[in-house]
Amino acid sequence: MKLILTNEVSGLGTPGDVVEVKDGYGRNYLIPRGYAMRWTRGAEKQIETIRKARDAREIRDLGTAKEVAGQLGALRVRLTTRAGESGRLFGSITTGDIADAVKAAGGPILDRRRIEIINPIKSVGSHRVSVRLHPEVAAGIDVEVVAG
C-alpha cells in the first residue's frame, strides 16, 4: 500500500514522504490515527504543502539544532503535579507537560511529538527524557517532578 505521511512516524519517515507499507499496517494503524493518507494523484499535489508546514516547524539546520541542544542541556525543568503520600503520581507526565515546562523555564519552544519518554514518568523525582531536534542531534533533558 502506498501512503503519504502526514506526521512523523519513527522508523518510517517524516511528513510529506511517500512510503510503501503492508496493507494492514496502513489500513489499521497509520490512516485511522491520522499519521498518513492514501496516495493518489490528487494527494500527490498536497505533498508540497505538507513539506512546507514541516519546514516551518522544524529546526532549520544542524548548527541550530546543536545550539538548541546546548540550551536544553543547561536548562533546569521542574514540574509540579499531584502525587500520593508514597510519591506515586495521579496519572503520568506527558510529552505536552514537558514541552510546556521547558517553555515556562525559559527554554525553546519544542514540538511535543519530538520528545521521547523512554519509561513512563509516574513518580516524583528526577527523570531523563530525550528530544530529537534533528535527524543527527538528540538532546537530553533532566526533568524534576515534585508533588504540589
Side-chain angles (χ1 to χ4, degrees):
M1 171 180 275
K2 202 170 186 182
L3 298 173
I4 301 170
L5 295 179
T6 56
N7 286 325
E8 185 169 341
V9 179
S10 298
L12 195 57
T14 58
D17 290 349
V18 178
V19 295
E20 188 78 32
V21 297
K22 301 262 183 176
D23 290 346
Y25 182 51
R27 192 174 48 248
N28 297 326
Y29 182 74
L30 295 174
I31 293 173
R33 285 177 172 76
Y35 295 150
M37 60 188 200
R38 290 187 187 275
W39 180 90
T40 61
R41 288 196 183 121
E44 183 79 28
K45 295 174 186 169
Q46 293 179 329
I47 289 176
E48 193 58 39
T49 57
I50 292 170
R51 287 194 177 138
K52 284 180 184 175
R54 178 186 69 190
D55 290 342
R57 285 192 314 262
E58 196 172 79
I59 294 176
R60 295 281 178 226
D61 59 359
L62 187 61
T64 308
K66 287 182 180 178
E67 182 181 314
V68 171
Q71 290 175 0
L72 290 173
L75 199 62
R76 181 169 174 81
V77 178
R78 185 180 181 117
L79 274 165
T80 305
T81 187
R82 292 180 17 175
E85 290 185 23
S86 64
R88 188 139 173 92
L89 301 182
F90 297 125
S92 64
I93 302 297
T94 65
T95 56
D97 296 335
I98 294 170
D100 293 340
V102 167
K103 182 179 174 186
I109 297 172
L110 298 176
D111 185 0
R112 66 175 177 77
R113 293 173 290 212
R114 296 201 173 273
I115 298 173
E116 296 175 340
I117 301 174
I118 291 96
N119 296 322
I121 301 174
K122 295 186 176 206
S123 62
V124 296
S126 184
H127 302 276
R128 185 94 172 149
V129 298
S130 65
V131 181
R132 286 178 289 104
L133 298 170
H134 190 270
E136 300 172 17
V137 179
I141 304 174
D142 288 319
V143 178
E144 186 179 343
V145 180
V146 295

